[in-house]
Amino acid sequence: MAPFRTARDPFVYYQRHIFFCLNERPNGEDSCAQHGAQAGFAHCKDRVKGERLAGPGGVRVNKAGCLDRCAGGPVAVVYPEGVWYTYVDKDDIDEIVDSHLKNGQVVERLVLPPNVGR
Amino acid sequence: MAPFRTARDPFVYYQRHIFFCLNERPNGEDSCAQHGAQAGFAHCKDRVKGERLAGPGGVRVNKAGCLDRCAGGPVAVVYPEGVWYTYVDKDDIDEIVDSHLKNGQVVERLVLPPNVGR
């Protein structure tokens, strides 16, 4: 599949690229991995595949190390928009897939407030 | 530090977010990890810290799983621009830091051609 093109971005290899923090801090410190991050990532990947959104010109669901916004964990970020999400369960992931990744509509209720950091 | 704001993106938590593929495929298959990805990531992180670019409103250097453009590995992608790079050594990383991450100038000679995939 050819890379996705828009006027804003002449070459965007993935139309939307979502990164899930799967970090596990040492010494048992609180981290995304302890709050269902792996399950959220796996469910998102399955859903994106199932919807046939996966691949160049479409959506990529990616593992990431610490995104350094641990206070809002588990977190994920969608680029190129730079929209950050916090999620609790599969329903949240479903909404991110159906609304944002598929149709470009930000899921406002899951957006991480801008002041949430480490 | 407050989140970086632009007219284009009202809330961009990191002005530039670079993800390094550090993936190691099973069974010894060719992958970014076998081509200096960890060293590139570590050098980039050190340089960004040294230049005091790191953090919210600035630059985040991130570990990532497979970015699925293995044929051009080792690869890294800078968002929100969606610019993909392939690099060989520390000099390449230095140029990405000094030119793109610090000053927003894409390093054309290191840009991954759009047709390079898995």
Side-chain angles (χ1 to χ4, degrees):
Chain A
M1 207 188 303
F4 182 82
R5 292 165 187 235
T6 66
R8 178 170 140 180
D9 300 288
F11 285 108
V12 177
Y13 190 76
Y14 298 121
Q15 187 180 3
R16 295 199 176 86
H17 200 166
I18 183 168
F19 294 88
F20 281 81
C21 178
L22 299 185
N23 193 48
E24 189 156 8
R25 281 164 151 180
N27 308 319
E29 284 181 283
D30 211 25
S31 52
C32 289
Q34 296 167 327
H35 294 275
Q38 179 64 44
F41 163 75
H43 184 65
C44 188
K45 208 160 176 81
D46 286 348
R47 281 291 326 278
V48 164
K49 216 173 198 174
E51 296 282 336
R52 298 178 175 273
L53 300 172
V59 173
R60 174 77 183 167
V61 182
N62 231 103
K63 293 183 188 182
C66 182
L67 297 171
D68 219 25
R69 299 193 69 181
C70 320
V75 300
V77 58
V78 182
Y79 282 111
E81 294 95 322
V83 172
W84 289 76
Y85 288 116
T86 180
Y87 56 91
V88 170
D89 53 23
K90 288 186 175 181
D91 290 346
D92 290 346
I93 299 295
D94 284 341
E95 201 169 337
I96 292 168
V97 172
D98 295 331
S99 178
H100 192 159
L101 301 183
K102 196 169 177 179
N103 293 311
Q105 297 298 314
V106 174
V107 184
E108 298 292 348
R109 73 173 186 89
L110 299 177
V111 168
L112 196 60
N115 60 335
V116 174
R118 191 174 196 168
Chain B
M1 205 189 302
F4 182 80
R5 293 165 187 237
T6 67
R8 179 170 139 180
D9 300 288
F11 285 108
V12 177
Y13 191 76
Y14 298 121
Q15 187 180 4
R16 295 199 176 87
H17 200 165
I18 183 167
F19 293 88
F20 281 81
C21 178
L22 298 185
N23 193 47
E24 189 156 9
R25 281 166 151 179
N27 310 320
E29 283 180 284
D30 212 25
S31 51
C32 289
Q34 296 167 326
H35 293 275
Q38 179 65 44
F41 163 75
H43 184 65
C44 188
K45 207 160 177 80
D46 285 348
R47 281 291 324 278
V48 164
K49 215 172 198 175
E51 295 281 337
R52 299 178 174 275
L53 300 172
V59 173
R60 173 77 183 166
V61 181
N62 231 103
K63 293 182 188 183
C66 181
L67 296 170
D68 218 25
R69 299 192 69 181
C70 320
V75 300
V77 58
V78 181
Y79 283 110
E81 294 95 322
V83 172
W84 290 76
Y85 288 116
T86 179
Y87 57 92
V88 171
D89 53 22
K90 288 186 174 180
D91 291 346
D92 290 346
I93 299 294
D94 285 340
E95 200 169 337
I96 292 169
V97 172
D98 295 331
S99 178
H100 191 160
L101 301 182
K102 196 170 178 179
N103 294 311
Q105 297 298 313
V106 174
V107 184
E108 299 292 348
R109 73 174 185 89
L110 299 177
V111 168
L112 196 59
N115 61 333
V116 174
R118 189 173 199 169

